[in-house]
Amino acid sequence: MSRVLTILVAMFTIVFLMAGGMASAYLVGGLVEEHWFSGASRLTNILFLVLVFVMVIATLLTMAERKWSAFIQDRMGPNRARIALPGLKNRSLGGLPHILTDVLKMLTKEDLIPGTANRFMFNLGPILAFAPTFALFAVVPAGPSVMVFGHNVDMVVATPDFGILYVLAIASLAVYGTAMAGWASNNKFALLGGVRATSQMISYEVALGLSLVGLFLTFSSVQFPAIIGDVGSMLGNGSGQAQYLWRTDGAFDLGLPAWGIIIQPLGFLLFFAASFAETKRAPFDLPEGESEIIGYFVEYSGMKFGLFMISEFVEVVVLAGVTTALFFGGYHLPFGNEWLANLPVMQEHGWLLGTILGTVFWLKVLFLIWVQLLIRWTFPRFRYDQIQSLGWKILLPIGLVNVFATGALVLWDPSLRALAILGLAEIGLLVVLTTTTKVPAGGAHEAHGAHGHDHGHGGHGAHDLPAHAHGAAPASTH
């Protein structure tokens, strides 16, 4: 009972802090719009969205992943670090002091550069690996545009006309960081890891871009605000993912929303798999698989290694944010959007509406982050040839079929209802395939034989996954 109470208190605290952060972002944005100049709130959004929400969540994920991996593997998580203050020195505080020790270790550890390395390229590698990932969130709206103190406040840093194309372009720059880190180290093992990382990222970028074409055709735009959509009035339907495919009549709007996960479930699976492979996390962590290869940043130490490590967790947050905006309605509720937006108190205090919907956005992001951690510690690492086959022989053909099917159905039925029926059928088929797996006769014996065969060829099961230096450090998980 005490553990359940602790979890409930933690969940309430997270929701409260997120709501407080969104309320502060809107109120501060309204103040700077009133006293500075029009559009000044975009500058404060850099502080709140990118530096506070994304960076703080990514930092806490370094601990959350270790706690979640310990829970899955039925072992003690990080609990050794203590704060030497009265009343605290004998408390583990949920392992949070480990975040402080990790930061201090990286900031104070000696910065070593190999004597034969290219110093300029060696120092530039971590920056190119971290900066593009950090900049991706600039175009993701984390809340609606509302009136605060008589001024319009947008909860996004930038809204370029090219929208999602910016995400694809900036994400591809991370390839240069990994390739440069492996080559500039003048280490054959690092070079091999860099080549693996580069080839893997390039192969999945093709499927990544193709998975979004169906979404572009559906909403006739590549801009995030147009795809997320605006809430309609009581007399009219909304736009983008805020519209309803089918809805009931009445003051409270209830129906099936046009979310990307419903009208493009195949596109979602392709996008999520391809972007997950782009982050180079298990089961796609071949560039840094300790059991068979040394990673491309093997020569890096101190804060340079820290940039590679934290960029991985920033990628997790950004991937969850982009996926939420494209396929899960962004900051919209599944129903009741119009009723909520037309309440007198929401009309009078726009920041309150923004706070509620912005908190909904970040709760969706946290859910997708949890899904990524679940995948990370559930599936064993793929072989390299399997990863390449998945990208070129499976994801790419399925993406082409999805584009042709989406284009045909949008031309046939612009209301998107035919596309939604196909999407619901695909979701139903996926549920059936994943819940009705039958074990063949002698399956246990065959599975045992296959397991042994995999180990004989350098494979491994989920139970003997190596602990990553940036995921679950042995010193903090015993």
Side-chain angles (χ1 to χ4, degrees):
M1 186 63 185
S2 60
R3 174 175 294 185
V4 174
L5 182 61
T6 301
I7 294 175
L8 292 177
V9 171
M11 293 174 63
F12 176 79
T13 303
I14 291 173
V15 174
F16 176 78
L17 291 176
M18 286 186 169
M22 291 304 298
S24 302
Y26 276 107
L27 293 175
V28 172
L31 288 176
V32 297
E33 289 280 344
E34 183 177 7
H35 294 92
W36 288 4
F37 55 89
S38 177
S41 60
R42 300 291 183 98
L43 300 178
T44 59
N45 289 342
I46 298 177
L47 172 65
F48 282 99
L49 298 183
V50 180
L51 297 180
V52 175
F53 275 97
V54 173
M55 198 61 194
V56 169
I57 293 177
T59 302
L60 293 176
L61 275 182
T62 62
M63 175 56 51
E65 181 167 51
R66 285 188 257 182
K67 299 288 286 186
W68 184 247
S69 65
F71 178 77
I72 288 181
Q73 297 173 350
D74 193 20
R75 57 180 173 82
M76 294 294 296
N79 61 354
R80 299 297 185 183
R82 298 288 193 274
I83 298 178
L85 293 176
L88 296 179
K89 59 183 178 179
N90 293 324
R91 298 179 179 272
S92 62
L93 300 179
L96 291 178
H98 282 263
I99 297 178
L100 179 62
T101 58
D102 288 341
V103 172
L104 293 176
K105 178 182 67 176
M106 292 177 185
L107 291 175
T108 58
K109 191 174 182 180
E110 183 180 2
D111 182 21
L112 299 176
I113 299 179
T116 57
N118 185 310
R119 297 182 66 89
F120 176 75
M121 297 293 186
F122 187 84
N123 293 327
L124 188 61
I127 299 176
L128 287 181
F130 175 76
T133 304
F134 204 61
L136 285 178
F137 205 83
V139 296
V140 180
S145 297
V146 296
M147 298 297 294
V148 182
F149 303 132
H151 299 274
N152 188 65
V153 176
D154 301 322
M155 196 46 55
V156 64
V157 177
T159 53
D161 293 337
F162 38 85
I164 301 175
L165 301 181
Y166 167 87
V167 174
L168 299 176
I170 299 300
S172 64
L173 294 178
V175 176
Y176 294 97
T178 57
M180 192 174 296
W183 177 82
S185 299
N186 197 23
N187 181 304
K188 293 182 180 180
F189 296 104
L191 179 61
L192 183 58
V195 171
R196 274 194 173 192
T198 303
S199 60
Q200 176 175 317
M201 295 171 73
I202 291 176
S203 64
Y204 277 88
E205 280 181 3
V206 179
L208 183 67
L210 195 61
S211 66
L212 297 177
V213 175
L215 208 64
F216 300 158
L217 295 174
T218 301
F219 297 108
S220 302
S221 178
V222 297
Q223 296 182 347
F224 276 99
I227 293 177
I228 294 176
D230 295 322
V231 177
S233 64
M234 291 294 186
L235 301 177
N237 206 356
S239 62
Q241 295 182 78
Q243 63 182 304
Y244 290 100
L245 298 167
W246 292 275
R247 60 170 297 170
T248 59
D249 296 328
F252 186 83
D253 50 302
L254 180 65
L256 183 67
W259 285 9
I261 187 64
I262 296 175
I263 59 180
Q264 282 287 293
L266 202 56
F268 163 72
L269 291 177
L270 295 175
F271 176 81
F272 195 74
S275 54
F276 204 94
E278 284 266 309
T279 62
K280 304 181 295 299
R281 289 172 59 81
F284 300 97
D285 59 337
L286 266 298
E288 51 195 71
E290 291 92 340
S291 62
E292 56 186 73
I293 190 176
I294 300 177
Y296 54 91
F297 47 84
V298 62
E299 296 287 0
Y300 286 89
S301 62
M303 201 55 207
K304 290 189 178 70
F305 170 81
L307 285 177
F308 281 111
M309 186 200 72
I310 197 64
S311 65
E312 180 177 308
F313 291 99
V314 172
E315 286 177 344
V316 173
V317 181
V318 171
L319 169 57
V322 173
T323 305
T324 298
L326 295 179
F327 295 99
F328 288 90
Y331 45 80
H332 295 302
L333 294 166
F335 51 83
N337 281 289
E338 298 173 8
W339 172 81
L340 180 66
N342 286 281
L343 288 177
V345 64
M346 299 299 171
Q347 295 284 338
E348 183 179 357
H349 304 287
W351 65 270
L352 185 58
L353 175 65
T355 299
I356 295 175
L357 296 183
T359 305
V360 169
F361 173 84
W362 288 110
L363 290 177
K364 294 178 183 178
V365 169
L366 285 185
F367 171 76
L368 290 176
I369 288 174
W370 174 76
V371 171
Q372 293 182 66
L373 296 185
L374 188 65
I375 295 174
R376 163 72 175 84
W377 290 102
T378 300
F379 293 95
R381 182 183 299 127
F382 296 150
R383 294 197 315 265
Y384 193 72
D385 62 307
Q386 292 175 331
I387 287 182
Q388 294 296 331
S389 297
L390 176 64
W392 291 108
K393 297 181 180 180
I394 299 178
L395 297 187
L396 185 59
I398 293 178
L400 291 172
V401 172
N402 183 61
V403 169
F404 287 118
T406 301
L409 290 176
V410 169
L411 287 175
W412 180 45
D413 183 11
S415 69
L416 305 182
R417 291 181 177 178
L419 191 61
I421 293 175
L422 176 62
L424 293 174
E426 292 173 353
I427 294 174
L429 179 61
L430 180 63
V431 171
V432 171
L433 291 177
T434 54
T435 57
T436 59
T437 303
K438 295 182 179 180
V439 179
H445 176 73
E446 293 173 4
H448 182 270
H451 182 76
H453 178 75
D454 287 343
H455 275 275
H457 287 77
H460 48 270
H463 64 278
D464 58 358
L465 282 172
H468 288 241
H470 56 278
S476 60
T477 54
H478 288 168

